[in-house]
Amino acid sequence: MAHATTATAGGKKEAAHHFKDMDHEFETCKQGLWLFLLQEVLFFSPLFVGYYVFRGLYPEDWHAASHHLDPKMGAINTVILICSSLSMAQAVHGAQTNNRRKSIIGLILTLIFAGGFLVVKFFEYSHKFELGLLPAGAFTYTGADLSGYPHAKLYYSLYFAMTGLHGIHVIGGMAVIAWILKRTLKGEFDSNYYTPVEMVGLYWHFVDLVWIYLFPILYLLG
Amino acid sequence: MAAEKKGSKNSEHHGHHIVPPKVLYTVWGLLLLGTALTVAASMFHFGALNYVIGMVIATVKASLVVMFFMGMKYDSNENRVIFLTSFVFVAIFFLLTFTDLFFRGTVEFDAGRFAKAAEARAGAQFKDPWIGTDDLRKRGHDLFMTNCIACHGPEGKGNGPASVSLNPKPRNFTSGDNWKNGRKPSQVFGTISHGLNAMPSFSTTPAADRWCLAHYVLSLGPAPGKDTPEDLQKAGVDTSGKGGGGGEKTLPVDLAIDIMSEKG
């Protein structure tokens, strides 16, 4: 039954003609996604390298500038993302076991967590905007605590680049999760075919993965 | 439906491994625990150890996500190699960048020395370099010995080793005859700046140095002509300005970048 290559009256998904069977199709998709994630790791890596280069050059500036980040906010967002990873995994599990209700609840929860993450990020960003703790030329902060640290603005360039790129990934993730939710509601997935659900899940866990490093680096160990 | 469920569970294909919810909850709990530990550890000051602890916990958390949430534990070796390869390249990226960065230490030291030398060369210490003094001629002599003797010879007689292949022969500075552009300092400065016959332009040499050279080579021959204010103006000298003056002043590109980055 797992090798369902024949169409049934119930509209069961068939493997595309260039695949041997559903498993073959699934494996191919997943390999493609791992390749995409390989690229994602490399995509993020220059920002990390840049962060460490300048941290190495200006450790005092980095230390002083990072004090304006609130570890509480960062920790809340870390917990939110970890929970969203769990709910996403549950959604995938629901699809794998023909439990559509579980899948739907999992996806909705993931969307709520993702939204929560962005709300916290919004408050953090607007606070930085108010103080003028902004990248490079836009940096207008005049507080005495950073007056002796000319490279604080460089820290904020990297802070916004790193969290911004991650934030874009969160927004992109929400878009594909919403798309998956819509298709799940339509009943397009079951234990025979749930490739998109699992692929979006892999992507979402990767977004969590990036944050797992961003949190300590930016908020705790500046 | 039950049969199907069973079927996919019994499937031998690793891609269809279903991670049991119990495992998912355990991983979730461990991730939360890891987060709590990271925050707690950062509150104590272990010095450099703080960083190690933070990174180790983050890596353990990341591994849990990759192994269980992303199912790499149950995935094919091929996919494992694909994903882990990215980290190999990130490691190379870090390694080469930081090798370069550490090496920069010595370059920075050199750049400091270089900057000092260049500052001296830019003629900041020479007031009105278009007026010949012994100081200028002494510096001109030093510059001459490193830059000019190949053609003009150590005594400035135009008989350096490279002169053999040149026609017309390089200028013999000990003679006052037939100076094509004249023998006033500003005229010699112009010749050095723009080149003549086989001699290239030395316009990238700081202006003050070109003045030094002009005064030096003129000192090798009969008394030179005197510059009038018009002559100086023709040579591009702003006599009201300070410093090297005269013609464009240039800096090596890397030094310019250094100065800009220090100011920025």
Side-chain angles (χ1 to χ4, degrees), chain B residues 221-236:
Chain B
K226 279 232 154 39
D227 276 321
T228 62
E230 290 78 39
D231 289 330
L232 290 174
Q233 212 173 7
K234 232 170 107 187

Side-chain angles (χ1 to χ4, degrees), chain B residues 158-213:
Chain B
N159 57 356
S163 72
V164 190
S165 61
L166 293 175
N167 188 28
K169 291 291 167 202
R171 158 60 43 197
N172 173 2
F173 296 118
T174 58
S175 156
D177 301 334
N178 301 322
W179 285 56
K180 195 172 175 186
N181 293 334
R183 286 190 80 240
K184 292 177 180 177
S186 70
Q187 291 163 334
V188 179
F189 175 84
T191 306
I192 298 169
S193 302
H194 302 119
L196 181 63
N197 295 330
M199 184 169 85
S201 155
F202 284 85
S203 61
T204 53
T205 303
D209 282 356
R210 280 179 266 149
W211 283 112
C212 291
L213 279 167

Side-chain angles (χ1 to χ4, degrees), chain A residues 12 23 26-27 30-31 34 37-38 52 55 82-83 85 90 93 96 191 194 202 205 209 212-213 221, chain B residues 4 13 15-16 18-19 21 24-25 28 35 42 51 58-59 62 69-70 75 78-79 82-83 93 98:
Chain A
K12 187 145 50 164
D23 280 345
F26 176 80
E27 289 297 333
K30 198 161 70 168
Q31 188 148 85
W34 279 115
L37 293 182
L38 170 148
Y52 277 110
R55 185 180 187 274
I82 289 172
C83 291
S85 255
Q90 296 288 7
H93 187 264
Q96 286 170 332
S191 63
Y194 55 86
L202 279 175
H205 296 313
L209 197 71
I212 283 177
Y213 280 100
L221 303 166
Chain B
E4 219 172 272
H13 296 267
H16 282 289
I18 295 171
V19 187
L24 297 178
Y25 282 117
W28 174 69
T35 306
S42 73
Y51 226 92
T59 304
F69 280 171
M70 299 171 89
D75 216 321
E78 229 168 78
N79 286 346
I82 286 174
F83 193 56
F93 192 0
F98 282 86

Side-chain angles (χ1 to χ4, degrees), chain A residues 1-3 12 22-23 26-27 30-31 34-35 37-38 41-42 45-46 48-49 51-53 55 57 75 78-79 82-83 85-86 89-90 93 96-98 102 153 190-192 194 198 202 205-206 208-209 212-213 215-217 220-221, chain B residues 1 3-5 7-8 11 13-21 24-25 28 31-32 35 38-39 42 50-51 54-55 58-59 61-63 65-66 69-70 72 75-76 78-79 82-83 85-87 89-90 93-94 97-98 101 108 264:
Chain A
M1 283 305 276
H3 299 271
K12 187 145 50 164
M22 292 301 283
D23 280 345
F26 176 80
E27 289 297 333
K30 198 161 70 168
Q31 188 148 85
W34 279 115
L35 281 164
L37 293 182
L38 170 148
V41 171
L42 299 179
S45 65
F48 282 86
V49 171
Y51 176 91
Y52 277 110
V53 164
R55 185 180 187 274
L57 289 174
T78 307
V79 170
I82 289 172
C83 291
S85 255
L86 176 70
Q90 296 288 7
H93 187 264
Q96 286 170 332
T97 55
N98 276 330
K102 184 177 180 181
K153 55 187 167 190
D190 54 27
S191 63
N192 174 55
Y194 55 86
E198 175 140 358
L202 279 175
H205 296 313
F206 175 79
D208 185 17
L209 197 71
I212 283 177
Y213 280 100
F215 169 55
I217 287 173
L220 298 176
L221 303 166
Chain B
M1 207 140 105
E4 219 172 272
K5 198 165 154 187
S8 56
S11 163
H13 296 267
H14 25 240
H16 282 289
H17 188 278
I18 295 171
V19 187
L24 297 178
Y25 282 117
W28 174 69
L31 289 173
L32 291 181
T35 306
T38 318
V39 175
S42 73
N50 268 61
Y51 226 92
M55 286 300 102
T59 304
K61 283 168 70 186
S63 306
V65 169
V66 172
F69 280 171
M70 299 171 89
M72 181 155 274
D75 216 321
S76 67
E78 229 168 78
N79 286 346
I82 286 174
F83 193 56
T85 300
S86 68
F87 295 100
F89 280 96
V90 170
F93 192 0
F94 266 93
T97 309
F98 282 86
L101 197 67
E108 242 166 25

Side-chain angles (χ1 to χ4, degrees), chain B:
Chain B
M1 207 140 105
E4 219 172 272
K5 198 165 154 187
K6 219 176 162 191
S8 56
K9 252 190 184 168
N10 291 342
S11 163
E12 284 307 309
H13 296 267
H14 25 240
H16 282 289
H17 188 278
I18 295 171
V19 187
K22 218 166 82 184
V23 174
L24 297 178
Y25 282 117
T26 310
V27 170
W28 174 69
L30 287 171
L31 289 173
L32 291 181
L33 183 70
T35 306
L37 276 177
T38 318
V39 175
S42 73
M43 288 171 183
F44 298 96
H45 291 281
F46 302 122
L49 209 60
N50 268 61
Y51 226 92
V52 178
I53 294 171
M55 286 300 102
V56 166
I57 296 178
T59 304
V60 169
K61 283 168 70 186
S63 306
L64 283 170
V65 169
V66 172
M67 293 303 271
F68 297 100
F69 280 171
M70 299 171 89
M72 181 155 274
K73 187 171 162 24
Y74 319 103
D75 216 321
S76 67
N77 277 335
E78 229 168 78
N79 286 346
R80 285 180 196 158
V81 168
I82 286 174
F83 193 56
L84 294 181
T85 300
S86 68
F87 295 100
V88 172
F89 280 96
V90 170
I92 293 171
F93 192 0
F94 266 93
L95 194 73
L96 290 182
T97 309
F98 282 86
T99 312
D100 178 24
L101 197 67
F102 290 136
F103 180 66
R104 288 277 169 94
T106 54
V107 175
E108 242 166 25
F109 171 69
D110 283 351
R113 248 181 13 186
F114 188 38
K116 254 186 215 156
E119 197 187 331
R121 281 170 47 197
Q125 81 278 35
F126 295 126
K127 197 177 175 300
D128 305 339
W130 44 90
I131 299 163
T133 64
D134 286 345
D135 281 350
L136 265 70
R137 277 186 284 272
K138 191 176 166 301
R139 174 153 181 79
H141 168 77
D142 295 344
L143 290 164
F144 187 84
M145 286 305 166
T146 49
N147 297 305
C148 314
I149 56 171
C151 297
H152 291 285
E155 282 120 35
K157 287 181 176 164
N159 57 356
S163 72
V164 190
S165 61
L166 293 175
N167 188 28
K169 291 291 167 202
R171 158 60 43 197
N172 173 2
F173 296 118
T174 58
S175 156
D177 301 334
N178 301 322
W179 285 56
K180 195 172 175 186
N181 293 334
R183 286 190 80 240
K184 292 177 180 177
S186 70
Q187 291 163 334
V188 179
F189 175 84
T191 306
I192 298 169
S193 302
H194 302 119
L196 181 63
N197 295 330
M199 184 169 85
S201 155
F202 284 85
S203 61
T204 53
T205 303
D209 282 356
R210 280 179 266 149
W211 283 112
C212 291
L213 279 167
H215 294 309
Y216 172 69
V217 300
L218 283 171
S219 73
L220 298 171
K226 279 232 154 39
D227 276 321
T228 62
E230 290 78 39
D231 289 330
L232 290 174
Q233 212 173 7
K234 232 170 107 187
V237 174
D238 175 13
T239 43
S240 64
K242 54 176 186 170
E248 67 280 38
K249 224 192 307 182
T250 51
L251 286 174
V253 175
D254 44 356
L255 177 65
I257 290 171
D258 253 25
I259 290 170
M260 278 195 293
S261 66
E262 264 163 40
K263 282 181 180 163

